[in-house]
């Protein structure tokens, strides 16, 4: 007999006279004359209730079954007289596939802290919360691909190992095949001679520059891949390895970019609400009571679009004791971003046209001679969810900006070629996938939305 | 006026009195009384033919337009009297967005070699061949996600930076934040003390072990992400960075695994044939004349399933002068794999049950005491497209196999935990995405199916 997934039994339109399910025991309870098993196979949040009569053949096995054990159960799917489920399985056979010693199995039926569960990241997807979380992560990723494909974008795999540094700065991991004890030669000229690539190699911090190249050929592209920051900071919002989505669109300006960002976020939120209702509900009940109301605002309301100058004025007038004082020219801190979106506007806010001094060289220089066509999309609780810009498409301006940033235009010959040959206005942005998941679920620590998070001095599993 | 994509104009059901298109000029041709422009915006292979009458306002601009220039064109979409297209655009306005100097623009209208185009990988997606290729790559990736989602699999992001080594061997890249000149301390004990993770860190060669952990919670999962090999080999089939798809399924055995692999490959091929017909046709005409016939076999025929022992017998009996002699116990070489699938069976072949000595520790030990439940799917021209196995789910057997492989069971405490708590039979495989693309397009060099390939001493762009 072929196995039926628990989700399919629960969604069944009719009783099933004979069904085989396989999964893990969440709990076993013995009552007078029969036992209950709550069986989960990961296909959905809800368990299948299995009833084993004491006088059935299955009874002997079931008494040895503990939380965490893997079993297969054959039986009849019947309407459940109990509350909370439409169907239950009356077992005719229970076989133990793999036991779980109650003395040593860490996931007993009780509430565990997120901190403890991080130490057993290999087992935490077996809990309700993390099972739900990683199903939502999976479905959100699909929503990303669907959104862009429906709009004629092409998915692009930009390189992970890179010889360039997109931001013109930033902490990067180095990639090498040289022994950890140092290179064979001492002279600096030959530092990388024996290395795999014959030059310094790093892990990418962004696929944007390469995405721009492809946007100049395929029109609209997006990346969705891992990016890296070697920042030695232990905060709930930073990980050394995270996934980023970066669309890049030829023939688009800053307004188009803001439209795309707003549509994208709304699409993702609506997709998760529609396709992950049961899993999302868990977070609304146990993690953040305001979650559903917040998501309704994010999916429903038009986003405020606010020039940086006006954002600074609002912050300066605010009766709020900021840790970082506000003045024109500062980079907005999370406390400022959250004030704008959570307290002042109470909805997502797109701040645009930032002073050029605080933004990277590739952002398009505005005619005011002071600002660049940057935009950041701020959402409640998370702060910056998206950062993007219209890109500088004018060769002479871009060359000047690269030089002013203290970099060498020769290193960017290929990036500049794009402006030499058939240059077009274009724009794009980056969305941190984990930031989105934190917003969508109310989870406060980035370590809890990544299967196996990487942070300073943390490389287990 | 909003821009219309070239693909949408070509698919139009009716003439359009006023339309705005933007794109790059593939060619300009001047005739008596008017000029032709072939305009491409990356949305599809086919160009839009633009007609500019010499007496129109657009005429002055169009005479300055060269191959590679970016233009926007307004006009009327009308039925084309010419051959090869249903519609053409009669221009009322042409504006040059970005020129392309014919003296320096490398992509003039002629056939360029793949070798030359690799040196301008930032421009090659502007050619017909590479535009088509990267559209197929994008659509194939979508097909991967769709296939697994339709079957109830969850998409999993396994870590890129890892402290473990899945194969128990293999050349890995090291990831570090220490200076290239060597660590600050000399003593071996403190080699990684000052490093970001405080221990040796590498780029992953596979997400399998982590995928197994999640399969034991969510049931069916798959990864789709970059993997790395620091092999110093310059072959047309190897890159240092490539994308791999790795499904992992709880409650599945080797037969289920073979079924899944066959379904998966057939689905991908059929999806590409259906959704990328025009792009694929280019490869059938200009890259591999047998492509369509090969794909028909791969999509249509049942795959041969052949125990390793029988494969060896067939190879030994073959009247073929192999470079590597065949005997029981050898690892099959590409020449052997290609003989089986191309010459002997003339269809894809799944070889299974390999001698345990030539396979990794995690593959399930068969009852014959000699072989493991491994499987390789071989396809014409490419050889091994998929490698997989049923995994060893028995704690004692797995511990013994780890020790026999010369590794320390303590390093795999989390992997072994899976067998301690609710262990289940499970199976999975890995498909090299680039190998699939080579098979699907007939392209012979892996460097030509990756946007920016990484190989020894090659880290440009």
């Amino acid at each position: 007999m072929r196995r039926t997934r628990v989700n399919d039994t629960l969604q069944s339109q009719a009783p099933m006279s004979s069904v085989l399910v396989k999964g893990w025991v969440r709990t076993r309870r013995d009552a007078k004359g029969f036992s209950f098993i709550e069986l989960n196979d990961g296909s959905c949040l809800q368990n299948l209730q299995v009833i084993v009569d004491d006088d059935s053949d299955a009874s002997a096995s079931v008494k040895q079954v503990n939380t965490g054990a893997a079993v297969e159960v054959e039986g009849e799917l019947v309407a459940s007289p109990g509350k909370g489920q439409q169907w239950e399985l009356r077992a005719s056979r229970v076989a133990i596939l793999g036991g779980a010693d109650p003395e040593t199995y860490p996931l007993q039926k009780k509430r565990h802290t997120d901190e403890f569960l991080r130490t057993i990241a290999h087992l935490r997807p077996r809990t309700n919360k993390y099972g739900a979380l990683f199903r939502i992560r999976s479905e959100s990723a699909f929503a990303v691909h669907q959104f862009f494909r429906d709009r004629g974008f092409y998915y692009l795999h930009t390189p992970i190992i890179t010889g360039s540094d997109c931001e013109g700065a930033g902490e990067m991991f180095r990639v090498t095949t040289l022994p950890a004890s140092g290179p064979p030669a001492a002279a600096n000229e030959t530092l990388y001679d024996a290395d795999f690539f014959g030059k310094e190699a790093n892990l990418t911090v962004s696929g944007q520059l390469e995405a721009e190249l492809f946007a100049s050929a395929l029109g609209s592209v997006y990346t969705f891949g891992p990016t890296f920051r070697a920042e030695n900071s232990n905060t709930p919002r930073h990980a050394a390895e995270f996934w980023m989505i970066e669309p890049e669109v030829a023939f688009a300006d800053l307004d188009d970019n803001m439209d795309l960002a707003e549509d994208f976020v709304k699409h993702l939120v609506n997709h998760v609400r529609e396709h992950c209702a049961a899993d999302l509900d868990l977070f609304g009940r146990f993690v953040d009571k305001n979650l559903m109301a917040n998501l309704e605002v994010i999916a429903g309301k038009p986003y405020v679009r606010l020039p940086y100058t006006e954002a600074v004025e609002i912050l300066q007038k605010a009766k709020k004791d900021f840790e970082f004082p506000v003045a024109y020219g500062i980079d907005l801190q999370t406390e400022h971003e959250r004030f704008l979106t959570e307290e002042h506007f109470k909805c997502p806010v797109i701040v645009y046209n930032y002073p050029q001094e605080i933004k990277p060289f590739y952002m398009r220089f505005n005619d005011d001679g002071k600002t660049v066509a940057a935009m950041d999309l701020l959402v409640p609780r998370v702060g910056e969810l998206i950062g993007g810009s219209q890109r500088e498409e004018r060769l002479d301006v871009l060359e000047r900006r690269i030089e002013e940033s203290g970099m060498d235009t020769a290193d960017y010959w290929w990036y500049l070629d794009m402006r030499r040959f058939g240059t077009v206005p274009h724009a794009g942005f980056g969305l941190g996938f984990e930031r989105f998941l934190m917003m969508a679920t109310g989870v406060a620590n980035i370590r809890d939305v990544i299967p196996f998070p990487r942070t300073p001095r943390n490389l287990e599993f």
Side-chain angles (χ1 to χ4, degrees), chain A:
Chain A
M1 202 189 313
R2 282 199 80 81
R3 163 189 172 227
T4 303
R5 293 160 76 236
V6 163
N7 195 33
D8 294 331
T9 65
L10 296 173
Q11 306 291 328
S12 182
Q13 297 299 313
M16 296 162 85
S17 60
S18 179
V19 61
L20 170 67
V21 295
K22 303 184 183 191
W24 294 271
V25 173
R26 286 295 169 85
T27 55
R28 190 196 84 210
R29 229 158 17 94
D30 297 327
K32 199 174 153 58
F34 60 94
S35 299
F36 290 105
I37 290 175
E38 293 288 332
L39 193 73
N40 190 288
D41 68 358
S43 62
C44 60
L45 182 65
Q46 204 186 331
N47 303 318
L48 175 65
Q49 182 165 286
V50 178
I51 313 283
V52 188
D53 284 325
D54 281 354
D55 55 8
S56 83
D57 291 348
S59 179
S61 334
V62 87
K63 300 290 183 196
Q64 304 164 39
V65 156
N66 295 305
T67 294
V71 295
E72 59 175 60
V73 183
E74 253 182 86
E76 189 181 356
L77 191 76
V78 298
S80 173
K83 267 189 193 159
Q85 68 267 329
Q86 192 185 350
W87 302 106
E88 64 185 26
L89 185 64
R90 300 206 80 92
S92 56
R93 185 176 69 84
V94 174
I96 303 177
L97 299 173
D101 181 353
E103 299 297 314
T104 53
Y105 185 55
L107 289 176
Q108 295 306 318
K109 181 150 180 83
K110 59 165 195 165
R111 190 96 180 233
H112 300 283
T113 66
D114 291 323
E115 289 74 16
F116 169 71
L117 290 172
R118 269 172 229 151
T119 68
I120 51 167
H122 61 311
L123 298 176
R124 68 179 177 171
R126 299 183 183 192
T127 66
N128 279 345
K129 177 175 170 182
Y130 288 93
L133 190 104
F134 292 116
R135 281 189 296 270
I136 291 173
R137 185 173 171 120
S138 169
E139 190 60 29
S140 302
F142 187 79
V144 169
H145 291 296
Q146 199 174 50
F147 174 85
F148 286 116
R149 182 171 179 263
D150 285 350
R151 281 156 186 78
F153 284 64
Y154 295 103
Y155 178 37
L156 172 68
H157 289 142
T158 49
I160 309 301
I161 305 176
T162 176
S164 73
D165 173 354
C166 175
E167 304 282 335
E171 310 275 332
M172 298 178 89
F173 288 102
R174 198 161 51 80
V175 174
T176 180
T177 51
L178 295 177
S181 49
N188 260 339
E189 290 79 23
T190 60
L191 205 52
Y192 297 109
D193 257 15
D195 209 345
F196 190 87
F197 294 107
K199 59 192 270 197
E200 183 174 342
N202 294 295
L203 290 181
T204 186
V205 296
S206 163
Q208 177 200 317
L209 303 195
E210 290 89 355
E212 286 186 58
L213 303 174
F214 266 68
S216 285
L218 301 185
S220 301
V221 299
Y222 69 105
T223 74
F224 186 3
T227 49
F228 305 85
R229 299 286 150 82
E231 277 163 36
N232 197 0
S233 57
N234 265 301
T235 85
R237 294 155 38 91
H238 292 89
E241 177 180 317
F242 55 97
W243 284 63
M244 194 142 71
I245 296 139
E246 299 182 278
E248 195 69 38
V249 187
F251 313 110
D253 63 16
L254 189 64
D255 284 331
D256 298 324
N257 212 26
M258 292 195 262
D259 291 344
L260 183 68
E262 182 168 342
D263 286 351
F264 183 42
V265 172
K266 286 178 169 170
H267 172 87
L268 291 185
V269 169
N270 281 326
H271 187 98
V272 169
R273 293 202 298 179
E274 182 182 341
H275 292 274
C276 307
D279 286 327
L280 200 59
D281 180 61
L282 178 150
F283 292 92
R285 283 189 294 144
F286 299 116
V287 174
D288 178 0
K289 297 281 182 205
N290 298 319
L291 181 65
M292 296 306 175
N294 282 342
L295 294 182
E296 179 60 35
V297 168
I298 294 166
K301 270 196 163 184
Y303 297 179
V304 168
R305 299 186 182 187
L306 186 71
Y308 168 89
T309 313
E310 291 178 28
V312 167
E313 286 167 13
I314 290 170
L315 291 166
Q316 284 175 325
K317 284 182 198 149
K319 296 189 173 31
K320 186 91 185 176
D321 209 14
F322 291 120
E323 186 186 344
F324 296 90
V326 177
Y328 182 91
I330 66 152
D331 210 354
L332 299 186
Q333 301 293 319
T334 303
E335 58 173 344
H336 308 135
E337 296 172 342
R338 292 187 59 173
F339 173 81
L340 289 170
T341 177
E342 287 171 23
E343 299 184 43
H344 190 81
F345 290 108
K346 297 185 170 58
C347 76
V349 177
I350 305 179
V351 180
Y352 65 95
N353 286 350
Y354 283 74
Q356 58 117 345
E357 292 81 4
I358 58 172
K359 290 291 181 184
F361 69 91
Y362 50 73
M363 296 192 173
R364 193 177 195 279
F365 206 62
N366 283 327
D367 291 343
D368 62 14
K370 291 195 301 186
T371 63
V372 290
M375 58 160 225
D376 284 352
L377 192 161
L378 318 176
V379 294
R381 234 177 38 78
V382 168
E384 183 189 328
L385 177 66
I386 280 179
S389 72
Q390 186 172 342
R391 319 306 187 186
E392 185 54 74
E393 87 280 13
R394 295 162 297 187
L395 180 62
D396 55 336
V397 181
L398 184 59
E399 283 177 330
R400 178 166 52 83
R401 295 269 291 158
I402 289 177
E403 281 159 15
E404 285 171 2
S405 304
M407 293 179 302
D408 189 346
T409 52
D411 292 339
Y412 291 89
W413 66 272
W414 42 275
Y415 189 64
L416 292 165
D417 262 7
M418 226 192 106
R419 281 76 180 175
R420 281 189 193 101
F421 308 119
T423 190
V424 297
H426 62 288
F429 61 79
L431 175 141
F433 188 51
E434 284 78 11
R435 291 254 172 111
F436 168 77
L437 291 170
M438 292 166 74
M439 182 191 85
T441 60
V443 166
N445 197 310
I446 196 170
R447 289 166 182 76
D448 299 332
V449 299
I450 300 179
F452 300 99
R454 270 70 178 103
T455 51
R457 306 197 86 74
N458 176 24
L459 187 65
E460 202 59 79
F461 312 107

